[in-house]
Amino acid sequence: MHFRLTQTCLDGKARAGELTTPHGTVPTPVFLPVGSQATVKTLTPEELKEIGISMVLANTYHLYLRPGIGIIEKMGGLHKFMAWDRPILTDSGGYQIFSLAALRQISDEGILFRSHIDGSEHFITPELTIQLQETLGADIIMVLDECPAYDDSLEKVQRAMNRTHRWAERCLRARRCSDQALYAIVQGGVFSELRHQSAKYLTSLDSPGYAIGGLSIGEPKEMTLAMIEETVSLLPETKPRYLMGVGSPEDLVEGVARGIDIFDSALPTRVARNGALFTWQGRHNIKNAVYRQMDQPFAPGCDCYTCRTFSAAYLHHLFSCDELLGYRLATIHNLNFIHNLIQKIRATILDDSFSSFKDNFWASYQPTNEQTRLEQKRKWLDSRNLNQ
Amino acid sequence: MHFRLTQTCLDGKARAGELTTPHGTVPTPVFLPVGSQATVKTLTPEELKEIGISMVLANTYHLYLRPGIGIIEKMGGLHKFMAWDRPILTDSGGYQIFSLAALRQISDEGILFRSHIDGSEHFITPELTIQLQETLGADIIMVLDECPAYDDSLEKVQRAMNRTHRWAERCLRARRCSDQALYAIVQGGVFSELRHQSAKYLTSLDSPGYAIGGLSIGEPKEMTLAMIEETVSLLPETKPRYLMGVGSPEDLVEGVARGIDIFDSALPTRVARNGALFTWQGRHNIKNAVYRQMDQPFAPGCDCYTCRTFSAAYLHHLFSCDELLGYRLATIHNLNFIHNLIQKIRATILDDSFSSFKDNFWASYQPTNEQTRLEQKRKWLDSRNLNQ
């Protein structure tokens, strides 16, 4: 059995469980740090383990372009290549093709795109993405999906959804390995009726897990939450639910409260490299002058390596000088924070106190301002398109 | 006693000893990795210790500008600030003022310079550099010296040398702390008669250690070696000899053979970040296509974390993608190589087989071509002046 539910909250939808994979058991809810290019930026596998990370995400699109799937195969597969012996989930590459690659043509057959690195042309099909992911050898793999923009029309989103459904079927048929769990991805944008159709269709295919795609891509937060709620209500209780690309502290709490089991996001590691560190009060930037002379750790009482070892003033200094060690130490802090958060969430689900934990979280946590959040997201998406 | 000689080679000048400092004993010969800004770039103190590093260098010029010596004082001194409890040596900042800062005026009183960071104006005197270094609290501190260019005229080098001598006297007089060893710096460029004068004058001041400055700054290698030989022959047997800014594998071997005890250089860590890794056969670049599909470690048999954990193909991939982890892994490999080299050198001095070790080293080691070396050095100096 791939997924076992351990506990469901009596007064809500939050649940705790366990994923069984060829590389070990993963307690859920779980957050996966993003290691697109077979490395969680700045960290070694040992550091991830010291934090307690049980599973990471890698990206088929990035690895297909560099170093090439054939190289990783020759090196003994993705686990061996990146020296990570715990579970891995690979994204199919769909989202990256739509957000990074250029000059694409989408047909029912597949996607024609140009590499964001060297402009070379590639054609990817549902069958190919399964073959690539089977070669990489991750524990959980994903179907190829078409990802519309959040402000696309209902008609456009519907066409993309229907294609995603046909591709999901082809992905399921193309499977050759039995030891990988292939998850389907519910699409449908911000349209309730489409989310319903998509969930209904995909659950009929009996996937071992279901992802919710196409959210947190620029739409207002209340819309994200509404779509999660609606979609989850249509998914089978016994299968894991994976909310793709979501990973701020507040989103984890709200996602779990709506029945999500698996999250991934580059946010904790990306904002860390910009100096933005998590605390139970919210996100604070270590570059702020207030830290210049602080001989206490950035977050007193925090049990991460960074806070146990260095003062906030030292971390501030490293960021002032653009020292690479600063990016590492900030990444360690943020992943440790997220891991502690997820652990607390799980513990309170198990002893049925999650809803008061959630209240306490919100009593102290000041989320990033919605307007700021959307601007940052847009800037980030723009910079990716410009730089890559 | 600050320095104790353990063994001197019977058939040469190489010697093994021990430096005693307030933060522990350091076996010599020793190589100090450079942590100009209170961080050996990319690495944590724990990683340096795992490699076996016993002492690091930090730079007074950099720390004076950022974060400011007062901040480090408030944070409990440099050891506590950077979480390094083993010995530290601080450079006086003279060399950096001459190579990085702009618009300087040098007078007998001191040096007027502009920060390479924000253009702010600063005036440093021998007395001030001692005060700053006493505040930082390193175990070994350095006098302020004037560093001429390697192609300056004898007259110009002589004037700089004489000023360096007067400054050395003032530095020795300015001392307030008794637990730091203040080393004098022999100057005199590539002129034998000046090196003689400088060594003679400074040894009369009875410093606890002597550095050789103003070498390896662009002059041909045979000239460097000749100057080292001449200078060492004039320094007292019982005092440690520190060759500043030198640290390629071949230079370490040749420096030790000429009686040097202490080395520092940013070279092993700097070239690592460019992908150039040391082997017993010479320096090889991991970006080279030959490593693309190599499932063996970069240097089979190497005991460093990088080679124990990852394939050359993975390291090649990280460099292809400009992944920050690559810089770390390469830095670990190079510092580990240099540390192993120094350990082998010391062991062979102790059992009186250093001269055959040196022969074996040269039988396999292919140094970087002299022309390439000088070009790289010039490029590096140019890029520092442009970027900073």
Side-chain angles (χ1 to χ4, degrees), chain A residues 38 41 46 293 305 314, chain B residues 38 46 74 305 314 323 328:
Chain A
K41 287 187 192 301
E46 285 72 20
Q293 307 206 28
Y305 167 74
Y314 184 69
Chain B
E46 286 71 20
K74 277 187 196 157
Y305 167 75
Y314 184 69
E323 280 285 355
R328 266 182 83 178

Side-chain angles (χ1 to χ4, degrees), chain A residues 59-62 64 89-99 101 104-113 122-134 140-148 159-175 181-188 198 201-202 205 207 209 211-214 242 244:
Chain A
N59 199 281
T60 306
Y61 169 81
H62 285 100
Y64 166 79
L89 182 152
T90 44
D91 193 355
S92 68
Y95 179 73
Q96 281 67 34
I97 292 173
F98 286 93
S99 59
R104 60 191 183 271
Q105 286 180 350
I106 310 151
S107 65
D108 276 355
E109 181 54 19
I111 316 173
L112 186 70
F113 66 94
H122 303 270
F123 187 67
I124 202 158
T125 62
E127 290 76 15
L128 180 58
T129 192
I130 294 301
Q131 189 195 316
L132 297 175
Q133 290 184 87
E134 291 190 338
I140 299 177
I141 65 178
M142 304 301 298
V143 299
L144 185 67
D145 56 343
E146 181 177 343
C147 311
R159 272 199 306 276
M161 179 194 76
N162 286 328
R163 188 173 277 148
T164 296
H165 294 171
R166 291 192 295 274
W167 286 357
E169 279 198 81
R170 281 166 59 189
C171 283
L172 286 163
R173 273 200 307 274
R175 293 184 61 199
L182 171 60
Y183 284 20
I185 304 176
V186 178
Q187 286 286 354
S198 188
Y201 182 86
L202 291 173
L205 301 181
S207 221
I212 305 178
Y242 164 29
M244 302 183 85

Side-chain angles (χ1 to χ4, degrees), chain A residues 37-39 41-47 63 66-67 71 74-75 80-83 273 292-295 305 309-311 313-314 317-318 320-321 323-325 327-329, chain B residues 37-39 41-47 63 66-67 71 74-75 80-83 273 292-295 305 309-311 313-314 317-318 320-321 323-325 327-329:
Chain A
Q37 304 189 122
T39 161
K41 287 187 192 301
T42 79
L43 300 190
T44 61
E46 285 72 20
E47 283 167 325
L63 298 175
R66 270 190 320 210
I71 299 245
K74 278 187 196 157
M75 298 306 119
K80 186 154 175 263
F81 185 61
M82 63 188 288
R273 296 194 306 281
R292 198 163 158 259
Q293 307 206 28
M294 187 183 284
D295 70 352
Y305 167 74
T309 313
F310 301 101
S311 62
Y314 184 69
H317 165 65
L318 294 179
S320 302
C321 301
E323 279 285 355
L324 298 177
L325 180 60
Y327 308 143
R328 268 181 83 178
L329 297 180
Chain B
Q37 304 190 120
T39 162
K41 287 186 192 302
T42 78
L43 300 190
T44 61
E46 286 71 20
E47 283 166 325
L63 298 175
R66 269 190 321 211
I71 300 246
K74 277 187 196 157
M75 298 306 119
K80 185 153 176 264
F81 185 60
M82 63 189 287
R273 297 194 305 280
R292 198 161 158 263
Q293 308 205 28
M294 186 181 286
D295 70 352
Y305 167 75
T309 313
F310 301 101
S311 62
Y314 184 69
H317 165 66
L318 294 180
S320 302
C321 301
E323 280 285 355
L324 298 177
L325 181 59
Y327 307 144
R328 266 182 83 178
L329 297 180

Side-chain angles (χ1 to χ4, degrees), chain A residues 84-339:
Chain A
W84 176 253
D85 56 10
R86 295 187 180 178
I88 301 175
L89 182 152
T90 44
D91 193 355
S92 68
Y95 179 73
Q96 281 67 34
I97 292 173
F98 286 93
S99 59
L100 294 177
L103 293 179
R104 60 191 183 271
Q105 286 180 350
I106 310 151
S107 65
D108 276 355
E109 181 54 19
I111 316 173
L112 186 70
F113 66 94
R114 285 190 187 275
S115 156
H116 71 281
I117 300 163
D118 62 6
S120 56
E121 202 169 80
H122 303 270
F123 187 67
I124 202 158
T125 62
E127 290 76 15
L128 180 58
T129 192
I130 294 301
Q131 189 195 316
L132 297 175
Q133 290 184 87
E134 291 190 338
T135 305
L136 289 173
D139 302 81
I140 299 177
I141 65 178
M142 304 301 298
V143 299
L144 185 67
D145 56 343
E146 181 177 343
C147 311
Y150 90 93
D151 51 1
D152 278 345
S153 68
L154 187 139
E155 290 66 33
K156 198 164 174 192
V157 174
Q158 187 163 32
R159 272 199 306 276
M161 179 194 76
N162 286 328
R163 188 173 277 148
T164 296
H165 294 171
R166 291 192 295 274
W167 286 357
E169 279 198 81
R170 281 166 59 189
C171 283
L172 286 163
R173 273 200 307 274
R175 293 184 61 199
R176 294 293 170 269
C177 302
S178 59
D179 57 351
Q180 296 176 297
L182 171 60
Y183 284 20
I185 304 176
V186 178
Q187 286 286 354
V190 291
F191 303 102
S192 294
E193 61 272 39
L194 299 187
R195 288 279 165 188
H196 278 250
Q197 284 178 37
S198 188
K200 195 174 165 204
Y201 182 86
L202 291 173
T203 51
S204 77
L205 301 181
D206 195 30
S207 221
Y210 290 93
I212 305 178
L215 288 181
S216 201
I217 55 172
E219 77 282 3
K221 176 108 27 177
E222 63 269 31
M223 208 171 254
T224 316
L225 295 176
M227 285 301 120
I228 295 170
E229 261 175 57
E230 295 206 34
T231 311
V232 165
S233 70
L234 301 159
L235 295 174
E237 273 284 311
T238 56
K239 301 286 176 75
R241 303 146 178 178
Y242 164 29
L243 180 57
M244 302 183 85
V246 167
S248 71
E250 61 270 31
D251 289 351
L252 293 180
V253 170
E254 292 303 323
V256 168
R258 286 161 180 79
I260 299 296
D261 305 300
I262 308 174
F263 301 85
D264 89 272
S265 171
L267 182 128
T269 47
R270 189 180 69 242
V271 300
R273 296 194 306 281
N274 289 327
L277 305 197
F278 297 133
T279 75
W280 294 101
Q281 287 72 49
R283 207 196 281 181
H284 298 294
N285 202 302
I286 190 68
K287 297 180 203 168
N288 194 299
V290 75
Y291 298 110
R292 198 163 158 259
Q293 307 206 28
M294 187 183 284
D295 70 352
Q296 294 297 300
F298 167 76
C302 171
D303 66 346
C304 83
Y305 167 74
T306 304
C307 290
R308 277 188 284 116
T309 313
F310 301 101
S311 62
Y314 184 69
L315 201 51
H316 175 88
H317 165 65
L318 294 179
F319 270 90
S320 302
C321 301
D322 299 317
E323 279 285 355
L324 298 177
L325 180 60
Y327 308 143
R328 268 181 83 178
L329 297 180
T331 302
I332 288 172
H333 174 84
N334 272 7
L335 285 185
N336 191 77
F337 181 89
I338 294 288
H339 181 69

